[in-house]
């Protein structure tokens, strides 16, 4: 049994002495310059959707009603963060932007319970508008 570790040590040491000790020369190769990619065009961001909370703010401004739009923020379980009205409002703006609207007349923002799939939910409802500049 004592011979086995000694034999293994001898094999390991003999393997180390058999390494080639010649100096390593760098390989000369043609280095190609890195390819420059054309600049990507920036994504066009839609104009921000303005929120009107009072219909009187629209008096004297020509506009077109594009339909009802909503945004929601959901609290899935009791351990999740509570629903957020500013998040629901932001999603209302995003959904209105998808309808090519540039404004929203906000009707209401409410926090409700018992919505299927949500423990509590914040919902904002409004009308998507296309307000024309005079």
């Amino acid at each position: 049994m004592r011979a086995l570790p000694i034999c293994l040590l001898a094999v390991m040491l003999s393997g180390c002495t058999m390494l080639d000790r010649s100096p390593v020369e760098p390989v000369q190769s043609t280095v190609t310059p890195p390819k420059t990619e054309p600049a990507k065009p920036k994504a066009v961001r839609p104009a921000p959707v303005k929120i009107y909370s009072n219909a009187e703010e629209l008096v004297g401004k020509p506009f077109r009603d594009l339909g009802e739009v909503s945004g929601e923020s959901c609290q899935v379980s009791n351990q999740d963060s509570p629903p957020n009205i500013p998040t629901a409002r932001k999603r209302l703006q995003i959904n209105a932007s998808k309808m090519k609207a540039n404004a929203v007349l906000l009707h209401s923002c409410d926090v409700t319970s018992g919505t299927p799939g949500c423990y509590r939910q914040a919902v904002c409802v409004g009308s998507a508008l296309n307000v024309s500049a005079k």
Side-chain angles (χ1 to χ4, degrees):
M1 284 307 254
R2 289 186 180 190
L4 182 64
I6 293 174
C7 290
L8 286 175
L9 180 64
V11 169
M12 287 182 0
L13 288 176
S14 66
C16 291
T17 60
M18 298 180 94
L19 290 176
D20 187 21
R21 302 268 182 203
S22 63
V24 177
E25 294 181 24
V27 177
Q28 296 292 331
S29 66
T30 58
V31 178
T32 58
K35 294 180 182 178
T36 56
E37 294 182 20
K40 294 181 181 177
K42 290 187 177 182
V44 178
R45 298 183 98 192
V49 176
K50 184 173 181 177
I51 294 182
Y52 292 99
S53 55
N54 192 348
E56 293 169 359
E57 296 175 58
L58 291 167
V59 172
K61 295 181 182 179
F63 65 89
R64 183 171 161 230
D65 190 352
L66 301 175
E68 191 170 286
V69 66
S70 67
E72 55 271 331
S73 174
C74 179
Q75 178 184 5
V76 177
S77 69
N78 192 21
Q79 286 79 28
D80 290 342
S81 60
N84 194 339
I85 287 182
T87 301
R89 218 180 252 182
K90 187 68 175 173
R91 290 182 180 156
L92 174 81
Q93 288 176 300
I94 291 168
N95 292 338
S97 175
K98 290 177 184 177
M99 295 172 66
K100 307 290 187 215
N102 61 3
V104 172
L105 177 59
L106 184 64
H107 299 306
S108 66
C109 283
D110 298 312
V111 176
T112 60
S113 299
T115 306
C118 292
Y119 177 72
R120 287 178 45 196
Q121 183 179 28
V123 179
C124 290
V125 179
S127 294
L129 306 174
N130 193 348
V131 179
S132 302
K134 282 189 170 182

